[in-house]
Amino acid sequence: MAATQTQETSPVSARATSGQGVSATSPGAGGSTTLGSGVAGASEPAATRGRTSIADAVVVKIAGMAAREIPGVFDMGGGLSRTLGAVRDRVPGGRPNVGRGVKVEVGERQTAIDLDLVVEYGVPITDVARDVRENVIAAVERITGLEVVEVNVTVNDVHLPDDEDETHSGADARVE
C-alpha cells in the first residue's frame, strides 16, 4: 500500500497544491510537513509504521544555527528585528531567537530558505555567503532529510569594528 506522490519543482508549488508548508519567520510560527506517509500493520517493517512530521520552525532553527556557525557572520535579521531581538535578549529570562533573519518555505520533500545577514567588516562577502549556503544546506538536509532547493542570502549590514566601542564607551562615561 504505497502513497502516490508527484515530484515537485519548488516548495512554493508544493505549498500551493498540497496545502502543506507555510512561510515561517520565527520558531512557533507556521505548520509542519510530513516526510513519509508510513503504513500500518503488523506485517510491515517497524521503520515504516507511522509517519514523521517536521514543523517549519524546526527548519528555521536549524538554518539559523548553521548560518551563525560561519566565521564572518556577526548577526542575523534586518535592522528592526535586530533591535527588537537585542531588547528581548536583555530581558531577564529572555532567550535569543535563533530563527531571527530566517524565512523558510517547506513542501512535502523540499525546502527553500532565505537568510538576512550582518557580516563583519573586512571579510569577503561572497565567501561568507558561499560558506553559509553550504553549511545551511548540509545541516538541513542531514538533520531533516528534506532536499534544500535554494538558500538565498541577503547581506543587510556590515558590522564595523568601532560600532561596539562607541556604544560601550558612551555607556561607561555615564555610569561612574
Side-chain angles (χ1 to χ4, degrees):
M1 176 163 135
T4 306
Q5 296 179 347
T6 59
Q7 181 67 29
E8 59 189 60
T9 57
S10 75
V12 177
S13 65
R15 187 177 63 178
T17 59
S18 72
Q20 291 185 358
V22 295
S23 178
T25 57
S26 64
S32 64
T33 189
T34 302
L35 298 177
S37 54
V39 292
S43 63
E44 298 296 326
T48 62
R49 293 185 204 171
R51 77 183 157 183
T52 302
S53 296
I54 298 175
D56 295 353
V58 172
V59 178
V60 167
K61 286 182 179 183
I62 294 167
M65 291 295 293
R68 284 176 171 79
E69 291 174 350
I70 301 302
V73 174
F74 177 76
D75 201 359
M76 294 183 63
L80 181 59
S81 71
R82 285 196 326 267
T83 302
L84 294 175
V87 170
R88 184 184 348 184
D89 292 348
R90 289 188 181 111
V91 172
R95 292 181 294 177
N97 181 359
V98 295
R100 182 173 62 229
V102 182
K103 295 179 188 121
V104 301
E105 291 184 38
V106 181
E108 290 179 14
R109 287 175 272 147
Q110 297 176 324
T111 186
I113 302 167
D114 296 327
L115 303 170
D116 294 331
L117 303 179
V118 177
V119 298
E120 295 281 354
Y121 174 77
V123 298
I125 292 173
T126 54
D127 293 348
V128 171
R130 182 194 63 236
D131 293 346
V132 165
R133 221 176 253 113
E134 289 174 355
N135 203 42
V136 167
I137 290 170
V140 171
E141 288 184 346
R142 178 178 49 85
I143 296 171
T144 67
L146 293 168
E147 177 188 2
V148 178
V149 293
E150 65 182 9
V151 175
N152 299 310
V153 176
T154 302
V155 177
N156 288 324
D157 201 358
V158 174
H159 176 258
L160 302 175
D162 60 344
D163 282 351
E164 283 187 36
D165 296 338
E166 291 175 9
T167 304
H168 293 321
S169 65
D172 292 339
R174 287 185 275 175
V175 181
E176 284 192 41

